[in-house]
Amino acid sequence: MDLLKLFKKNKPPVSDNPVIPSNSDEAPLSFQLAENQAWIEQRLANCSDVIYLSKNFGPDLANAALIVYCDSLINDKELIYFKDVLEDLVFHDIEVETDSELGNAFSFFEHHGVTSKNMRLITQLTSIEEYILNGHVLIFFDQWDKALSFNALSIDARQISEPLNEPVVRGPQEATVENLRVNLGMLRNRLKSSKFKIQKFVASGETHTEVAFGYLEGAVNPETLTLFKTRFDKAIQEEILEVAYIEELIEDSTYSPFPQYRHTERTDTAVAALLDGKIIVLTSGSPSIMICPGLLVEFFSSSEDYYIRSLYTSLIRLLRLSAFIMALTLPSLYIAISTFHSELIPTVLLLAIIDTREGIPFPAFIEALLMEFFFEIMREAGIRLPRPVGSAVSIVGALVIGQAAIEAKIASPIMVIIVALTGIASFSLPNYNMAIALRILRFPLMLLAATLGGFGFMIGFLFIFLHLVSLRSLGQPYLAPWAPLRVEQLKDGFLRFPLKMLLRSPRNRHMHRSPRK
């Protein structure tokens, strides 16, 4: 059989009154090509990037076929797929001169497929829309109630690069991208274990976002995994655009300012979390990996902590803890002491503060509120501005506004120093979401300190502590391993013991496996 006779581009087949198949979820494809085309055109009406190409093949080009694909999702290779299909018929000596021989060709497609491509057979109408919008090329034949589908998805994506939000001096320099398959491949390459389980789902709604979660069997807490699956099954029934949507849908306390799950773009951090018994969640179109559950101590650690000496890591973690306390309490402490408890300040320092505040028309609380407000605006502007100019604008803005505020007698030098130290301390935290929590809690503490002094500050601090004690992350105590106290797990808290003194997992929170002997 001559291949040239099998292939010709022609106008789409037209039926005077095509019968559109039923919209039922179980409705099969029609034997009539025009009816299948009419159904697709009805479902994908006003979608100008959906292309319909009609082909004729066989003797006298009497047999009709239809190729459908979304032009914005694939490269223009629809002719190659159709040519491969016909070449397979020629290679296997399958004639299509009669209806019975055409049936033999369809039977060959159904039972053997196309040898040169990864082909899928579609039998249901509802699958057509899903496959087209996922970058597949579909080939329909007249007098056949099935279709051939070839995955031809080809979208330009960002290449693997260095992590932008989690830079390190030592350690891997690869970051996740917006491609779910690539991210899962990088994780699987790092954790070559059959116990590493990955489950993929498609979220409901109009987005049909691919969502996947993974865990290490034997390391994960079974009760935590069961609770996660229960919440996850409900979450994917909603519209999901990014992994943060799932975070908010499954977290224990939606209105808590403290983050209950961690996010990372580093594959080594995600794998370390898997070894620690955590569950990771990924979505297509997002480079972020969510790690759950999340404990307070984990927000003060970085992946680089395990690539440098344990003594230095312990000192850095204590420095981060000090920065956390400073960023939370420094403005409110200054307001309380300078307004209500000035006798606690050494005389020389008190005289210096009084001298710098001479001529300031606002009380300490209003002064601090104004400077914090200006600082938050500059911080947000630095994030939203283009990267080449963002940092420069932030630095220049801080210098100009700070100096101008002092000269205009709007703020005192000591207040500018305190606000600057508070901001720098919040920047030293390795987790951005935890820094946001401090920005939220700082203002209520300042208000309590301005109204009730040290007593109000202690009340606010006590309420924060009580909230942390009662907070849960996927049912796990947020303050573990301190509340409840787990002595063995303190080896990797704010102090990191040498790796040889830790158990199998680098962080080892749950201890579902026995220690090395």
Side-chain angles (χ1 to χ4, degrees), residues 98-114:
T98 64
D99 290 344
S100 61
E101 290 174 344
L102 184 62
N104 291 336
F106 295 154
S107 177
F108 169 76
F109 293 147
E110 188 170 347
H111 293 93
H112 299 281
V114 179

Side-chain angles (χ1 to χ4, degrees), residues 282-425:
L282 307 90
T283 62
S284 60
S286 171
S288 180
I289 301 177
M290 185 176 74
I291 301 173
C292 51
L295 308 181
L296 179 65
V297 64
E298 296 168 351
F299 290 95
F300 295 90
S301 64
S302 169
S303 61
E304 196 175 19
D305 293 351
Y306 300 93
Y307 306 142
I308 57 180
R309 300 183 64 83
S310 58
L311 178 61
Y312 182 69
T313 297
S314 300
L315 294 175
I316 290 297
R317 288 187 178 180
L318 291 176
L319 184 63
R320 292 172 187 158
L321 178 61
S322 302
F324 173 83
I325 298 173
M326 183 186 300
L328 179 63
T329 64
L330 192 56
S332 51
L333 272 177
Y334 172 75
I335 293 171
I337 293 176
S338 63
T339 305
F340 293 93
H341 313 288
S342 56
E343 67 277 3
L344 298 177
I345 305 176
T347 304
V348 177
L349 179 60
L350 178 61
L351 292 174
I353 293 176
I354 293 174
D355 183 60
T356 59
R357 283 191 51 82
E358 184 178 356
I360 303 297
F362 306 113
F365 172 68
I366 301 299
E367 183 185 2
L369 196 62
L370 285 174
M371 295 308 297
E372 286 285 352
F373 178 72
F374 293 150
F375 187 86
E376 292 296 330
I377 290 177
M378 287 187 293
R379 187 206 300 255
E380 201 64 21
I383 295 174
R384 307 305 167 195
L385 283 172
R387 193 175 301 275
V389 300
S391 58
V393 170
S394 299
I395 295 172
V396 173
L399 292 174
V400 171
I401 292 178
Q403 185 64 31
I406 294 173
E407 293 181 356
K409 299 295 184 179
I410 296 176
S412 61
I414 186 66
M415 181 58 71
V416 173
I417 293 173
I418 287 175
V419 172
L421 286 176
T422 303
I424 294 173

Side-chain angles (χ1 to χ4, degrees), residues 185-205:
M186 287 192 290
L187 292 171
R188 182 67 76 179
N189 183 55
R190 284 190 174 275
L191 189 55
K192 302 179 180 70
S193 171
S194 60
K195 294 182 179 180
F196 178 26
K197 308 300 182 182
I198 300 174
Q199 298 186 29
K200 297 177 67 176
F201 302 85
V202 177
S204 301

Side-chain angles (χ1 to χ4, degrees), residues 227 231 246-261 294 437 466-476 478:
L227 179 60
R231 297 181 182 179
I246 298 178
E247 176 187 9
E248 189 166 341
L249 291 171
I250 69 172
E251 63 185 357
D252 294 63
S253 180
T254 304
Y255 298 103
S256 173
F258 291 96
Q260 292 143 63
Y261 306 120
L466 291 175
H467 173 68
L468 289 173
V469 170
S470 61
L471 191 60
R472 296 289 186 272
S473 177
L474 273 183
Q476 298 296 318
Y478 197 63

